């Protein structure tokens, strides 16, 4: 029997000194809470899923089973984000605004993802094959101490992942998918010592993937789980529990689909159209786009994940390497075969990359560790300066070139100035400067310092963006003023008609439609007999006079979202057919 190969991890107990809990919790809360509240829901996914949640809370009954916006079906969405958000809205709406209540669901999913990643990495880090090399005269860390170090680092690296920043603050499927991926990792690791518990967690994660974003999220989790189960080092026995868990996940998804098909077969067929497996080879230009976007989306964890796989190659089949790599590989296969892979598809890579990045840290040479530190210090110092410089340009007109670009994107915006926000932004900037001084003067030896610098740097930049730019972004991306105008015109038309009037639409995208429902409960139907029609067109077509309905309808209102330079909306009174 061959002896186990030597471990590549080398750490002293001093290097694994515990990261202060207050520092970890502070970074997590600043990252998670800032930018989630005190703003309008933004166009597309953020407001669409929110509108489905609010609809379920308003209407109850079968509206909980499959997503709708008012009476309009939304088969692109899965029910799991809807269930969680609608539950929060139903329970908390008497106490707070429904938008805030729904975003608490987003906050909860993000905390679940971070907690599951922490616990999964902790369990993997405590395993014997993951331990660092024993030192000749002692001084290596204890198992629990080492596992806690790696768990803290994995959470910090997930927070530092650039591509998930905006997505984790949306009321959308993204935080749910992140949580399902993290739960799947915990379940796979638990298979090694508690098969029933591990199979239960895998069942929830896989079913959650299918019920959140269809086969494009469920199938990679299923494939990754099968790769885990196939490794004899993971499961030498008790495979029946794992297979049972995977089968139960598929059965639960099938059960939900059959219930929906029985109640509303049209919605079920449309859901299957949107969420069925859409695998196939893509054009080379799409692969090039993916290769361009992925490195930035997963920065800075992907290089460290690659280093971890290479440095731990002699232990490749050990659970702490094989499990995150299996899910990473499954998702890469999914991306390579998905015709329109995008950010929701990339999200699933962030969690296994963060875990692998944590296991790379004990194997890095001192020069590589210092390189991570200097990257964080320089990159996020520059990004913070750019945030301040952009704000100064907006407020003062200098630098002129930057000010002109900002003004072109924010036409009609009357800049708001908040003394409290400026004071908080200054405090955050001072705090980041103090972190830089701490790193340069104290030269700490703790292994978590690089991950902390990356997470704290990205979080400080994000907080500055929220404090200085949130009113501007709200103006650019919110439909609230436009919705209020349309509601006023509809009310006036109903007063003149002496009866309620329904609204149909032509060319109306799902984002504006969802915004109208969330802000003013304006329901857009598919009823072509409705006397009012909301049309989405372009400024160019209106100028050229070829937007249509010039003779068959009377224009009641024309407008647009504040800073939109291209799209225009018209509320028309359609003449009845003769």
């Amino acid at each position: 029997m061959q002896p186990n190969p030597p471990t590549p991890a080398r750490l002293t107990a001093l290097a694994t000194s515990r990261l202060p809990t207050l520092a970890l919790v502070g970074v997590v809360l600043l990252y998670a809470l800032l930018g989630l509240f005190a703003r309008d829901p933004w166009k597309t996914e953020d407001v669409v899923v929110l509108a489905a949640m609010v609809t379920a809370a308003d209407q109850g009954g079968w509206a909980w089973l499959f997503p709708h916006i008012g009476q309009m079906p939304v088969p692109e969405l899965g029910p799991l984000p809807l269930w969680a958000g609608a539950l929060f809205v139903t329970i908390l709406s008497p106490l707070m605004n429904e938008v805030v209540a729904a975003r608490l669901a987003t906050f909860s999913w993000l905390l679940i993802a971070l907690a599951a990643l922490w616990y999964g990495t902790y369990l993997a880090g405590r395993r014997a094959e993951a331990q660092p090399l024993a030192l000749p005269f002692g001084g290596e860390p204890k198992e629990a101490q080492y596992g806690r170090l790696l768990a803290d680092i994995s959470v910090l690296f997930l927070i530092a992942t650039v591509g998930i920043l905006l997505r984790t603050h949306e009321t959308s499927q993204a935080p749910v998918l992140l949580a399902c991926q993290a739960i799947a990792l915990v379940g796979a690791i638990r298979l090694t010592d508690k098969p029933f518990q591990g199979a239960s967690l895998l069942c929830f994660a896989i079913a959650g993937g299918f019920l959140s974003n269809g086969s494009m999220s469920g199938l990679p989790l299923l494939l990754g789980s099968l790769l885990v189960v196939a490794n004899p080092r993971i499961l030498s026995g008790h495979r029946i529990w794992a297979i049972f868990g995977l089968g139960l996940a598929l059965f639960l998804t099938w059960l939900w689909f059959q219930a929906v098909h029985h109640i509303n077969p049209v919605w079920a067929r449309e859901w299957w159209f949107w969420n069925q497996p859409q695998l196939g080879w893509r054009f080379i230009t799409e692969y090039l786009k993916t290769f361009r976007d992925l490195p930035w989306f997963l920065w800075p964890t992907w290089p460290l994940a690659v280093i971890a796989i290479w440095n731990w190659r002699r232990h490749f089949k050990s659970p702490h390497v094989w499990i995150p790599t299996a899910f990473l590989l499954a998702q890469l296969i999914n991306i390579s075969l998905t015709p329109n892979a995008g950010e929701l598809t990339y999200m699933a890579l962030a969690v296994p990359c963060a875990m692998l990045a944590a296991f790379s840290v004990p194997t890095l040479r001192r020069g590589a560790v210092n390189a991570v530190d200097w990257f964080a210090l320089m990159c996020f110092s520059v990004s913070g300066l750019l945030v301040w410089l952009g704000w100064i340009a907006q407020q003062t007109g200098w630098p002129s070139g930057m000010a002109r670009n900002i003004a072109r994107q924010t036409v009609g915006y009357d800049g708001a100035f908040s003394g409290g926000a400026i004071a908080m932004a200054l405090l955050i900037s001072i705090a980041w400067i103090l972190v830089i001084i701490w790193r340069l003067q104290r030269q700490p030896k703790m292994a978590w310092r690089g991950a902390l610098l990356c997470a704290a740097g990205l979080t400080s930049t994000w907080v500055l963006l929220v404090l200085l730019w949130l009113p501007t972004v709200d103006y650019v991306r919110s439909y609230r003023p436009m919705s209020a105008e349309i509601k006023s015109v509809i009310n006036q038309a109903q007063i003149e008609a002496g009866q309620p009037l329904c609204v149909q639409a032509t060319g109306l995208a799902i984002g504006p439609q969802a915004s109208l429902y969330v802000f003013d409960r304006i329901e857009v139907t598919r009823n072509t007999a409705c006397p009012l029609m909301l049309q989405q067109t372009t400024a160019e077509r209106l100028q050229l006079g070829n937007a249509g309905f010039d003779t068959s309808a009377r224009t009641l209102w024309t407008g647009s979202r504040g800073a939109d330079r291209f799209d225009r909306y018209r509320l028309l009174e359609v003449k009845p057919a003769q």
Side-chain angles (χ1 to χ4, degrees):
M1 183 176 179
Q2 293 182 347
N4 291 327
T7 174
R10 288 166 174 79
L11 278 181
T12 63
L14 177 62
T16 58
S17 298
R18 187 170 184 176
L19 172 67
T21 303
L22 184 62
L24 181 63
V25 172
V27 171
V28 168
L29 291 181
L30 277 176
Y31 176 89
L33 292 174
L34 269 293
L36 190 61
F37 304 103
R39 66 169 177 84
D40 282 342
W42 293 336
K43 59 181 184 177
T44 320
E45 286 92 345
D46 188 30
V47 73
V48 168
V49 180
L50 174 61
M53 296 173 179
V54 173
T55 297
D58 286 349
Q59 299 180 3
W62 298 121
W64 281 72
L65 191 59
F66 38 89
H68 282 73
I69 297 176
Q71 300 300 318
M72 185 71 69
V74 191
E76 301 95 317
L77 303 180
L80 183 57
L82 163 72
W83 293 338
L87 183 64
F88 272 79
V89 172
T90 302
I91 295 174
L92 299 176
S93 56
L95 305 176
M96 61 185 66
N97 180 276
E98 61 190 14
V99 176
V100 176
R103 286 183 180 149
L104 286 175
T106 300
F107 177 67
S108 300
W109 284 117
L110 181 56
L111 289 187
I112 290 171
L114 294 172
L117 174 62
W118 191 97
Y119 189 58
T121 310
Y122 174 72
L123 292 176
R126 289 187 60 178
R127 296 185 61 85
E129 59 268 30
Q131 295 303 303
L133 190 69
L135 301 177
F137 301 102
E140 66 275 2
K142 299 183 182 299
E143 291 181 359
Q145 182 183 11
Y146 181 65
R148 188 166 51 242
L149 167 76
L150 296 177
D152 291 346
I153 291 175
S154 68
V155 168
L156 292 172
F157 273 138
L158 184 61
I159 290 175
T161 304
V162 174
I164 70 171
L165 179 61
L166 286 175
R167 286 295 193 170
T168 51
H169 293 83
E170 290 180 347
T171 313
S172 69
Q173 308 103 308
V176 184
L177 298 177
L178 210 64
C180 289
Q181 183 69 67
I183 293 170
L185 281 174
V186 178
I189 293 169
R190 267 304 186 200
L191 286 177
T192 61
D193 55 1
K194 297 183 177 180
F196 175 75
Q197 186 183 113
S200 301
L201 291 171
L202 279 177
C203 173
F204 177 84
I206 295 170
F210 278 110
L211 295 177
S212 298
N213 199 39
S215 61
M216 291 301 97
S217 295
L219 285 180
L221 289 174
L222 180 63
L223 176 59
S225 301
L226 290 174
L227 291 175
V228 169
V229 173
N231 184 352
R233 293 280 295 274
I234 305 295
L235 281 183
S236 56
H238 304 293
R239 275 193 172 85
I240 185 65
W241 284 116
I243 300 301
F244 177 77
L246 304 187
L248 182 59
L250 295 177
F251 174 74
L252 292 175
T253 306
W254 176 85
L255 196 64
W256 167 81
F257 182 78
Q258 289 301 313
V260 173
H261 190 272
H262 177 73
I263 297 166
N264 191 335
V266 175
W267 195 99
R269 286 194 297 269
E270 291 183 356
W271 181 88
W272 177 249
F273 171 80
W274 282 100
N275 294 282
Q276 65 183 312
Q278 301 174 10
L279 305 180
W281 297 109
R282 300 186 286 166
F283 293 111
I284 187 64
T285 53
E286 295 184 18
Y287 286 109
L288 292 176
K289 180 178 179 295
T290 299
F291 291 140
R292 180 198 67 191
D293 294 344
L294 264 184
W296 292 108
F297 190 92
L298 296 173
W299 191 266
T301 60
W302 74 265
L304 296 173
V306 173
I307 291 173
I309 293 172
W310 175 254
N311 287 347
W312 287 95
R313 62 192 181 277
R314 294 184 179 179
H315 298 260
F316 188 63
K317 291 187 177 181
S318 298
H320 69 287
V321 183
W322 177 261
I323 289 175
T325 304
F327 285 104
L328 188 68
L329 179 61
Q331 191 60 32
L332 287 174
I333 293 173
N334 180 48
I335 290 173
S336 66
L337 296 177
T338 300
N340 297 305
E343 291 185 355
L344 280 180
T345 319
Y346 302 159
M347 288 284 293
L349 295 170
V351 173
C353 274
M355 179 181 281
L356 286 170
F359 279 100
S360 77
V361 171
T363 71
L364 296 177
R365 296 182 181 274
R366 181 176 300 178
V369 174
N370 290 334
V372 174
D373 293 4
W374 283 107
F375 160 77
L377 294 178
M378 292 187 294
C379 177
F380 295 115
S381 296
V382 171
S383 63
L385 285 173
L386 289 176
V387 173
W388 274 108
L389 185 61
W391 181 81
I392 292 171
Q394 184 188 43
Q395 300 297 324
T396 66
W398 180 90
S400 57
M402 183 179 290
R404 283 194 300 271
N405 288 333
I406 294 172
R408 187 164 56 249
Q409 302 295 327
T410 58
V411 176
Y413 176 66
D414 183 15
F417 186 94
S418 171
I422 303 306
M424 290 180 64
L426 288 171
L427 287 176
I428 290 295
S429 300
I430 292 171
W432 176 242
I433 292 172
L434 292 176
V435 170
I436 295 174
I437 294 173
W438 167 77
R439 171 60 183 86
L440 296 179
Q441 287 189 349
R442 298 288 296 274
Q443 296 186 359
K445 305 299 182 184
M446 292 77 78
W448 45 257
R449 70 177 189 271
L452 178 64
L453 290 173
C454 290
L458 184 68
T459 301
S460 66
T461 302
W462 172 243
V463 173
L464 288 178
L465 282 168
V466 170
L467 293 173
L468 299 178
W469 286 96
L470 191 58
T472 304
V473 177
D474 235 9
Y475 173 79
V476 171
R477 298 178 67 90
S478 174
Y479 285 92
R480 183 184 291 273
M482 188 185 88
S483 178
E485 292 179 19
I486 294 174
K487 181 66 173 180
S488 176
V489 175
I490 291 175
N491 288 341
Q492 183 61 37
Q494 292 180 147
I495 292 173
E496 294 176 0
Q499 61 180 348
L501 301 175
C502 62
V503 182
Q504 58 174 305
T506 176
L508 186 65
I510 192 170
Q513 177 181 326
S515 298
L516 295 176
Y517 186 85
V518 168
F519 293 132
D520 294 290
R521 294 301 190 272
I522 301 172
E523 290 194 36
V524 177
T525 73
R526 293 178 176 178
N527 185 0
T528 57
C530 288
L532 299 181
M533 175 182 288
L534 186 58
Q535 179 194 25
Q536 181 175 351
T537 182
T538 64
E540 182 182 8
R541 294 190 67 182
L542 286 177
Q543 291 175 355
L544 296 175
N546 59 4
F549 302 101
D550 292 332
T551 59
S552 61
R554 179 168 67 98
T555 301
L556 302 179
W557 171 88
T558 302
S560 68
R561 183 168 44 87
D564 198 327
R565 295 177 291 163
F566 304 105
D567 289 339
R568 292 294 181 270
Y569 301 85
R570 295 197 299 177
L571 186 65
L572 306 171
E573 183 180 19
V574 182
K575 296 178 181 179
Q578 300 297 326

